[in-house]
Structures are given as structure tokens and as C-alpha cells.
Amino acid sequence: MPLAISCSGDSQGDTIAAEDAGAAASEECGGLLGRADIAEAFGGLLTVKDTTVAAMGDEVAGCMLFLDEGANNRINFNIGDAEDFASRKDSQMRQTGGTHEAFDAGTEAHVFNGINVIALNEDGKSLSLGLSSAAIEEENLLTREQSTTGLKLLAQRIMSRL
């Protein structure tokens, strides 16, 4: 299947008529995640500048949401299968140090170091979701707790929309 990329927001100089703005916002990241989700999950501390979506055929394969705050910060996610989930879980569990917490989002979900989330649903679709580490470690835009809480909420929403 061909890989398709599309962008929205400032990077392409797009202009959207006021009546089309609501429709465009709901279509961000293939309807899996949008600006309002980010604002709510992080208590208004992070806002989306623009997005880039990757798709395989009609299916969303991933999305990058570039943030207004900080230098080159973004939230990105990828949709995969059970094998992708197992590989990511194995890789994350092998790393020493840091934090790990299991949580409720689908059949199995984990957050690592407050910036990376993986989740698997009952249909075998998986999610890998992450926030730029600089947003916490260098720029102090969020605390690790705020990041963890926000990413868990986003993961739950994406998994419910798959």
C-alpha cells in the first residue's frame, strides 16, 4: 500500500475558511487525535501548531503534532499491530533506570519515563505515543507527572477511537 503524508497548519501556509475550521480540526490525525485533545490533556499548557499525518491506504499509520511551546517539541504516535506492541514493550522493559507504570487503556498499556506510552487493544491494534523529552527535561513546560497524566489520557482516547 502507498504511504501518504499530509500536513495542516502554519508549515504549509494553509488557510482555512472559518466554516471549514471545525471540520479540519476533527480530521486531524485521521480523527484519532486533535488540538482540543492536546489542550485538554495538558490543561492548556501545550497547543498544537500544525500536524503531519502518515497513512497506509485509508488507515492512519501515525501522526506528528508540532507544538507552539518550546523549540521543536512534538507529540507523535504510531499505530501498529500486536507484534509491534510486543517489540516496543520488550525494548522498553530492557532499558534500565527510569519509571514504568501499567495503566488502563485497551487490553494492556504502559507509560515509561512519563514521556512514552504503548498500548494494545483486543483487536490486536497497538499504539506508540510519545512527547519530546525536551519539553520536560530541558524546557520545563510540564512536570513529569503532568506529562504522564496527559499522555495516559491521550492513549485512552486514541485506543477508544481505533
Side-chain angles (χ1 to χ4, degrees):
M1 281 188 200
L3 177 68
I5 306 286
S6 66
C7 298
S8 71
D10 299 338
S11 67
Q12 298 295 314
D14 293 348
T15 56
I16 299 173
E19 61 272 9
D20 294 335
S26 68
E27 292 301 316
E28 287 175 332
C29 298
L32 295 176
L33 191 63
R35 295 168 196 266
D37 296 314
I38 302 301
E40 183 181 339
F42 298 105
L45 297 173
L46 300 179
T47 53
V48 176
K49 181 178 182 178
D50 60 88
T51 61
T52 300
V53 179
M56 295 294 285
D58 293 335
E59 296 283 320
V60 172
C63 187
M64 283 195 293
L65 298 100
F66 297 92
L67 304 174
D68 276 330
E69 297 76 20
N72 199 27
N73 285 315
R74 65 185 176 271
I75 294 171
N76 61 296
F77 74 84
N78 294 298
I79 304 300
D81 58 20
E83 186 176 310
D84 295 324
F85 174 83
S87 177
R88 289 181 188 119
K89 180 180 175 184
D90 182 55
S91 174
Q92 289 285 350
M93 295 295 223
R94 279 196 233 160
Q95 295 179 19
T96 58
T99 61
H100 166 248
E101 176 187 348
F103 69 101
D104 186 25
T107 304
E108 184 178 354
H110 304 272
V111 61
F112 299 92
N113 302 319
I115 58 172
N116 295 303
V117 169
I118 57 171
L120 179 68
N121 72 12
E122 59 277 352
D123 296 327
K125 289 188 177 183
S126 68
L127 166 70
S128 174
L129 171 70
L131 171 67
S132 301
S133 61
I136 298 172
E137 297 169 359
E138 297 168 21
E139 297 173 357
N140 299 312
L141 299 174
L142 301 169
T143 65
R144 195 163 301 277
E145 182 178 286
Q146 289 169 316
S147 175
T148 298
T149 299
L151 288 174
K152 287 165 59 175
L153 176 62
L154 294 178
Q156 290 165 337
R157 287 200 178 160
I158 293 169
M159 293 305 282
S160 73
R161 295 170 181 169
L162 282 177

